[in-house]
Amino acid sequence: MSIRMRPATVSDAALVERLFRESFTDTFGDLYAPEDLSTFLADCSVETWEEELADPTMEVRIACDGDQPMGFVRLGPG
């Protein structure tokens, strides 16, 4: 395994949305009622990620093993 980080761009919005949805659901999904989880995830759409990735005050990096995306980190003001 050789993990590398690369900057995310607006064109990665669908990928980041998928990574977020999968990791959030795997980590916290059992703490929410299904309808509440669906409502929360609906607010984290591809369009929302496009806006975030275009924001110059935010930095998102995607972790990859080779060409396989594995996760991401989001850095920015609190």
Side-chain angles (χ1 to χ4, degrees), residues 8 10 48-60 75-77:
V10 173
T48 301
W49 281 107
E50 287 173 339
E51 291 174 16
E52 182 129 341
L53 292 167
D55 182 345
T57 66
M58 297 301 295
E59 173 123 14
V60 177
L75 306 165

Side-chain angles (χ1 to χ4, degrees):
M1 182 182 303
S2 176
I3 304 298
R4 68 178 176 82
M5 300 291 281
R6 69 166 179 83
T9 66
V10 173
S11 65
D12 290 311
L15 170 61
V16 175
E17 186 272 341
R18 180 180 62 80
L19 291 169
F20 174 80
R21 180 179 299 272
E22 289 173 0
S23 63
F24 188 89
T25 302
D26 288 349
T27 304
F28 302 110
D30 61 338
L31 302 177
Y32 291 87
E35 60 276 4
D36 294 337
L37 180 61
S38 293
T39 299
F40 174 76
L41 292 174
D43 289 336
C44 302
S45 66
V46 171
E47 293 78 17
T48 301
W49 281 107
E50 287 173 339
E51 291 174 16
E52 182 129 341
L53 292 167
D55 182 345
T57 66
M58 297 301 295
E59 173 123 14
V60 177
R61 294 196 169 260
I62 298 172
C64 298
D65 181 8
D67 291 332
Q68 181 65 38
M70 301 181 65
F72 73 97
V73 61
R74 181 172 93 182
L75 306 165

